[in-house]
Amino acid sequence: MNDVSLILAAAAMFMAGCAANGALRGTGDLGLVIERGAGRITLIETSGRSALGTVEGLGDLSHAAAVYSRDGRYAFVFGRDGGLSKVDMLRMSVDKRVLQAGNSIGGAISSDGRVIAVANYEPGGVQLFDAATLERLADIPSTYGDGSRRSKVVGIADAPGNRFVFSLFEAGEIWIADASEPRTPKLERFPAIGREPYDGFVTPGGRYYIAGLFGEDGLVLVDLWNTVGGAKRILGGYGRGEEKLPVYKMPHLRGWAIAGDVAVFPAIGRHEVLMVNTATWTEIARVPVHGQPVFAIAQPGGRRVWVNFAFPKNDVVQVIDLPSRTVVRELRPGKAVLHMEFTPRGEQVWISARDDDLVTVYDTASFAPLARIAALKPSGIFLTSRAASTGF
Amino acid sequence: MNDVSLILAAAAMFMAGCAANGALRGTGDLGLVIERGAGRITLIETSGRSALGTVEGLGDLSHAAAVYSRDGRYAFVFGRDGGLSKVDMLRMSVDKRVLQAGNSIGGAISSDGRVIAVANYEPGGVQLFDAATLERLADIPSTYGDGSRRSKVVGIADAPGNRFVFSLFEAGEIWIADASEPRTPKLERFPAIGREPYDGFVTPGGRYYIAGLFGEDGLVLVDLWNTVGGAKRILGGYGRGEEKLPVYKMPHLRGWAIAGDVAVFPAIGRHEVLMVNTATWTEIARVPVHGQPVFAIAQPGGRRVWVNFAFPKNDVVQVIDLPSRTVVRELRPGKAVLHMEFTPRGEQVWISARDDDLVTVYDTASFAPLARIAALKPSGIFLTSRAASTGF
């Protein structure tokens, strides 16, 4: 082997080294689609509206969710099997993975980006992890009553000041964990907030945590600007009501649309969405819709709210115009529409249709389909722009 | 020279090749500091809170501003000399640069990320450029009256639907340019809106454009959800008033703090900030402050508004607590504080002190200084998270 061939060999070796480092690109327009049927995610980009590749080996991704590192490079994927996977969006590979519990329902990232919190059903509680290493920093068991039992934890969301807010289903409590010192989180508890809180979310801007109740009508609100005020009941008429209608799928509270001082909530069991004044938390109006609403999501920068529906009417998306309080458009993105994700400035929406193995990208101005991307039983869609938002 | 040293030489060569391609990293935590004294920017990152390097050759950067490509990789820097520079944040170099006019005051990027708009004093008007190539797509001369004169263009902001909204100083008009077809933009004009609009901004969420008037008291509001309603006058009492107090520096409207349904405006000439109800656009209260306020900016996710001041009281920043309407903290970041930029989730604020050649990063929870970064006469600070926001 002569000198030249040696140099060429070295050249090839190091060029390969460069390639293995992944392509040089911005991360602000990246995202992922959960492929629940494959334990896999498809990485996407919203500038050319294309799929970039897949990452395998993420375990059980039924009802999975994801949050992003503050630099937008890493996704933290919460699997139903308790798996927490850190995915490198640039190298398109699993950077780290831990099995942190038996059954997990979701998680959040602290406002400083240093701590990942995972909410668990089994064993019930919240675990805190270092976002860089996935080292476990703290375990917060959701014990209640005489301390012998643990409650399922639901509706976890991040709040300003490195706080995580979540609800205890069996206990009927809301807890706030301040993770500023993540090895010794400080807990604030709100007991007896109502029967069976089943989900919760933080409003845009990070001021309020709102939990929905499965065991009774009404909602629970905690003002995160002033927690000494405790938990308040709002919208007593919100829920399944006296008739106890069959509910095919409980609405996702996380999607609740808040546009200015109006919030749009999916009614439970009824073919309606509720318009609510967020200054007084009282009902303004109800808008009739196609079926039992699941998500009602405000189009960023827009005057519209997009709504999808529960089985058997889950092949339709309706678009509501807020000022006129009417449905102005109906789309059919495919069978079993599970999720809708807007680009941060609202010009596109990505919609997953599970039973057609299809993700469709729509232009929100013209409603024209801009791209169709194949995915195996797609559910949640998560864009890196979530890294800059509170409450995800 | 033996084989091993040859291989090492080749190795070094190709490693250098990798480095020249820029480091593989996410762009979500990047930003830049305008160094107005040097025609240069310093690139920063907010995870380790450090300076990454500088980019030279950007011309006259006095009163310069920047927006970002939707992927967060490229900054578009608007220089006072009419220079429009596209900076690669990863390679830390000027990707493209054009001298597009004689005197420019700022610009914006369309909601789809494809069009850059630059607002010019001389010759007055707005020019549209392709964000990928910086090719000029359209020229919108700000002619008024008998058509022989052009007005200075101020207060340009992007609005949903690829619209740009701006004000014509001498003409006393507000124009909306729809750049969905950027070579043939559609114009909507609002004449006789008031004397000498000097700045304007779009409210968070993208619903309203508000312009301030230099020639008379009061503000002008356009509802972008319903422009047929025309331009409305609000807050007639806002301005220099009868006394015509000396104004050392007109407030920057772009910084106006809007938290929930309360907006906090810097008073003009007076040592006060105004609290305004954004549902009715009426005054709620006035909070006395240290000097003539310039910026009043809401801390993301927080209950606080940070305020800086005009000469000679411009070495102080005050922090106002919204619920109690009181100043809860006073900081002294250095001489001639020009700008404050929050990380998108509000845990840090970056503050430039021009006459101390210093940028200081504060922890917004503890008010502790986290880092100090040297910069030559620093003014504006712009983070890539702006790419995901409407109205910047």
Side-chain angles (χ1 to χ4, degrees), chain B residues 71-339:
Chain B
D71 63 0
R73 176 170 179 176
Y74 298 98
F76 299 89
V77 181
F78 308 100
R80 193 55 177 270
D81 57 4
L84 168 60
S85 306
K86 183 178 182 180
V87 173
D88 186 329
M89 302 289 287
L90 291 174
R91 290 210 164 92
M92 294 199 278
S93 61
V94 176
D95 181 68
K96 291 180 178 58
R97 175 170 164 83
V98 294
L99 265 177
Q100 56 85 42
N103 187 317
S104 142
I105 186 62
I109 184 167
S110 61
S111 44
D112 66 4
R114 289 164 54 203
V115 181
I116 304 296
V118 190
N120 292 317
Y121 276 2
E122 189 51 50
V126 170
Q127 301 214 39
L128 304 184
F129 296 87
D130 183 302
T133 63
L134 294 194
E135 174 199 4
R136 189 167 75 174
L137 301 173
D139 179 19
I140 305 170
S142 52
T143 50
Y144 68 104
D146 63 8
S148 66
R149 291 163 301 169
R150 287 184 172 204
S151 179
K152 290 194 199 70
V153 174
V154 299
I156 189 165
D158 67 278
N162 297 312
R163 291 177 294 176
F164 298 107
V165 193
F166 48 92
S167 297
L168 279 61
F169 181 79
E170 294 85 354
E173 299 187 1
I174 291 171
W175 290 10
I176 299 175
D178 181 334
S180 298
E181 301 292 339
R183 292 182 185 278
T184 55
K186 290 188 203 67
L187 287 180
E188 189 173 9
R189 304 178 182 204
F190 303 89
I193 55 106
R195 284 208 305 280
E196 300 178 330
Y198 72 95
D199 195 7
F201 75 113
V202 166
T203 55
R207 176 159 187 182
Y208 299 105
Y209 179 78
I210 297 176
L213 299 173
F214 187 78
E216 57 190 298
D217 288 355
L219 300 164
V220 187
L221 177 143
V222 174
D223 183 347
L224 300 172
W225 282 12
N226 177 23
T227 57
V228 297
K232 296 187 187 67
R233 293 295 285 272
I234 59 170
L235 289 171
Y238 180 79
R240 288 175 298 168
E242 290 317 307
E243 305 167 47
K244 296 292 177 222
L245 301 162
V247 178
Y248 299 109
K249 181 173 172 56
M250 290 298 281
H252 271 265
L253 307 193
R254 195 61 55 100
W256 283 357
I258 298 194
D261 58 356
V262 175
V264 178
F265 297 170
I268 297 177
R270 295 183 175 75
H271 294 192
E272 296 172 334
V273 297
L274 283 61
M275 296 180 70
V276 170
N277 178 318
T278 57
T280 59
W281 296 106
T282 52
E283 189 175 319
I284 300 167
R286 293 183 176 225
V287 178
V289 291
H290 168 78
Q292 292 187 0
V294 176
F295 280 107
I297 305 179
Q299 179 182 322
R303 52 186 276 176
R304 293 167 173 165
V305 169
W306 295 55
V307 185
N308 73 328
F309 302 96
F311 178 85
K313 300 192 141 194
N314 56 356
D315 61 338
V316 162
V317 167
Q318 287 187 319
V319 184
I320 295 170
D321 175 68
L322 286 175
S324 63
R325 302 174 184 177
T326 56
V327 173
V328 292
R329 192 81 176 204
E330 186 167 292
L331 301 170
R332 294 185 178 273
K335 298 200 202 82
V337 171
L338 291 190
H339 197 215

Side-chain angles (χ1 to χ4, degrees), chain A residues 3 6 11 14 18 21 23-24 26-28 46-47 70-71 73 109-111 158 160 205 225 301-303 345 347 387, chain B residues 3 6 11 14 18 21 24 26-29 46-47 70-71 73 109-111 158 160 205 225 301-303 345 347-348 387:
Chain A
D3 293 354
L6 270 169
F14 288 103
C18 291
N21 287 333
L24 192 71
T27 50
T46 64
S47 297
R70 67 198 306 291
D71 64 0
R73 175 170 179 177
I109 184 167
S110 62
S111 44
D158 67 278
W225 283 12
R303 52 185 276 175
R345 296 170 74 191
E347 79 283 1
Chain B
D3 294 354
L6 270 170
F14 287 104
C18 291
N21 288 331
L24 191 72
T27 50
D29 59 348
T46 64
S47 296
R70 67 198 307 290
D71 63 0
R73 176 170 179 176
I109 184 167
S110 61
S111 44
D158 67 278
W225 282 12
R303 52 186 276 176
R345 295 170 75 190
E347 79 284 0
Q348 302 171 31

Side-chain angles (χ1 to χ4, degrees), chain A residues 212-294:
Chain A
L213 299 173
F214 187 78
E216 57 190 297
D217 288 356
L219 300 163
V220 187
L221 177 143
V222 174
D223 183 348
L224 299 172
W225 283 12
N226 177 23
T227 57
V228 297
K232 296 187 187 68
R233 294 295 286 271
I234 58 170
L235 289 172
Y238 181 77
R240 289 175 296 167
E242 289 318 305
E243 305 168 47
K244 297 290 177 226
L245 300 162
V247 178
Y248 299 109
K249 181 173 174 57
M250 290 298 282
H252 271 266
L253 306 192
R254 195 62 54 99
W256 282 359
I258 297 194
D261 56 356
V262 175
V264 178
F265 297 170
I268 298 178
R270 295 184 175 75
H271 294 193
E272 296 171 335
V273 298
L274 283 59
M275 297 180 70
V276 170
N277 178 319
T278 57
T280 59
W281 295 107
T282 52
E283 189 174 318
I284 301 166
R286 294 184 174 222
V287 179
V289 290
H290 168 78
Q292 292 187 2
V294 176

Side-chain angles (χ1 to χ4, degrees), chain A residues 52-77:
Chain A
L52 298 172
T54 60
V55 177
E56 314 267 345
L58 302 179
D60 177 0
L61 295 188
S62 55
H63 210 284
V67 298
Y68 287 95
S69 61
R70 67 198 306 291
D71 64 0
R73 175 170 179 177
Y74 298 99
F76 299 90
V77 181

